[in-house]
Amino acid sequence: MQTYSITSISNEKIKYLKKLGMKKMRETSGEFLVENIKIIHDALKSGFEPISLFATDDILRSRNENVDFIVKKIKDIFVISKNVNKSFSSLATPSGICAVFMVCKKEIDLSKKIVYLNGVSDPGNMGTIIRTCLAFGVENLVVDEKCADVYNPKTIHAAKDAIFKINIVRDTNLKILKKIKKEMKIYATSLEKGRDIKNISLEKKCAIVFGNEACGVDEKILDISDDFIKIDMSGKIESLNVAISAGIVLFETR
């Protein structure tokens, strides 16, 4: 392991890390930040090596088993001060470690189940759904242009290492959804049109659409859907959080 010290917030590498906090820069560069020891550890364990790694001296000397594993795997580490870490961190309390990863360009497998997200705007919900997909064996996730950024720090915090382990593709103008329709049935979640998920037998190869937290699935998507599903609930509540709904539906259709 070779270490290089960075003590100034004016350092070009530090300025770049700060820019990666912006969606536009992440999209332009194809890179994103991870500020979590466990996620970095799990990414490395799964074969995903960061472009660069930054850590405070305290973290490197912490005797944490995850840190020890990371240090053994990384050739070059930039040692930063707590002040430098604070200058670019998106966290209220900086973690003391940061890795830059390349966005993995993947393609969906049209022979398997697909989850399609339409306008899921909260990064926390997005991340939770990504992690839920991995938990229930769904390898393909498509997000439309109205969704939160997959590589937003809050999304990554909720998704954990699942961000590296499933195929995530962004759709625009329903182009991918229309391709999906040619290969399999599309089931859209709908409180008005849907039948209870327990009373429907979904094909193993199908697409399930979850909509925006407030408005649900867009009419354009409902129009091209083959069937509609919902979760039967007591009359005491009208709807569930989209991430919770996704968890229930994917559990019932696993």
Side-chain angles (χ1 to χ4, degrees), residues 7-30:
T7 58
S8 172
I9 62 174
S10 298
N11 181 280
E12 290 303 316
K13 290 185 181 294
I14 301 305
K15 287 181 179 179
Y16 180 66
L17 294 181
K18 192 169 184 178
K19 288 178 181 178
L20 281 180
M22 298 182 288
K23 180 181 178 181
K24 186 176 181 180
M25 178 55 77
R26 291 194 293 270
E27 290 178 341
T28 302
S29 66

Side-chain angles (χ1 to χ4, degrees), residues 28-67:
T28 302
S29 66
E31 298 175 0
F32 65 99
L33 296 180
V34 176
E35 296 185 74
N36 181 288
I37 291 173
K38 186 67 166 62
I39 299 175
I40 296 170
H41 167 274
D42 291 346
L44 279 165
K45 208 167 184 180
S46 298
F48 296 94
E49 189 169 328
I51 297 167
S52 53
L53 184 81
F54 301 78
T56 62
D57 193 55
D58 286 351
I59 289 293
L60 294 176
R61 296 175 182 273
S62 65
R63 299 287 184 180
N64 180 295
E65 61 180 16
N66 289 332
V67 174

Side-chain angles (χ1 to χ4, degrees), residues 13 43 69 108 149 206 237 246-247:
K13 290 185 181 294
F69 178 84
I108 55 170
D149 180 17
C206 69
I237 190 168

Side-chain angles (χ1 to χ4, degrees), residues 57-208:
D57 193 55
D58 286 351
I59 289 293
L60 294 176
R61 296 175 182 273
S62 65
R63 299 287 184 180
N64 180 295
E65 61 180 16
N66 289 332
V67 174
D68 289 344
F69 178 84
I70 292 168
V71 168
K72 288 177 183 177
K73 291 285 185 179
I74 302 297
K75 293 180 181 179
D76 298 326
I77 297 176
F78 296 95
V79 182
I80 56 176
S81 66
K82 290 181 180 180
N83 185 52
V84 168
N85 189 190
K86 188 176 180 180
S87 72
F88 67 80
S89 178
S90 64
L91 305 175
T93 304
S95 64
I97 193 166
C98 167
V100 179
F101 286 92
M102 182 70 72
V103 171
C104 300
K105 293 184 179 180
K106 299 181 179 180
E107 294 184 2
I108 55 170
D109 184 348
L110 292 173
S111 68
K112 296 181 179 180
K113 182 185 290 183
I114 296 168
V115 166
Y116 189 100
L117 301 184
N118 163 226
V120 175
S121 60
D122 182 83
N125 285 336
M126 170 76 79
T128 301
I129 293 171
I130 292 171
R131 190 164 172 79
T132 301
C133 284
L134 182 64
F136 294 119
V138 178
E139 300 174 12
N140 301 289
L141 176 68
V142 181
V143 300
D144 71 9
E145 66 267 47
K146 298 178 183 178
C147 283
D149 180 17
V150 171
Y151 299 101
N152 180 295
K154 291 180 180 178
T155 305
I156 294 169
H157 180 74
K160 309 299 185 202
D161 61 317
I163 200 83
F164 296 98
K165 294 180 177 178
I166 66 172
N167 303 323
I168 305 175
V169 178
R170 184 170 288 275
D171 192 12
T172 54
N173 299 319
L174 307 182
K175 290 178 182 177
I176 294 177
L177 188 62
K178 288 174 181 177
K179 287 182 181 179
I180 291 171
K181 185 173 175 60
K182 294 178 181 178
E183 300 293 332
M184 63 187 75
K185 282 190 174 182
I186 297 174
Y187 294 87
T189 51
S190 171
L191 287 173
E192 294 76 23
K193 299 181 178 182
R195 292 182 288 156
D196 184 10
I197 187 65
K198 289 186 177 181
N199 297 328
I200 301 177
S201 180
L202 274 64
E203 294 87 345
K204 286 188 176 181
K205 175 184 169 181
C206 69
I208 304 173

Side-chain angles (χ1 to χ4, degrees), residues 202-252:
L202 274 64
E203 294 87 345
K204 286 188 176 181
K205 175 184 169 181
C206 69
I208 304 173
V209 183
F210 298 96
N212 174 263
E213 290 88 342
C215 306
V217 177
D218 285 351
E219 283 296 329
K220 287 183 179 179
I221 294 179
L222 292 175
D223 288 343
I224 63 172
S225 297
D226 297 291
D227 208 339
F228 309 96
I229 57 176
K230 69 177 181 179
I231 300 165
D232 196 21
M233 299 177 288
S234 72
K236 296 179 181 179
I237 190 168
E238 291 184 359
S239 63
L240 292 171
N241 170 278
V242 65
I244 293 174
S245 297
I248 294 171
V249 170
L250 294 183
F251 173 79
E252 291 289 348

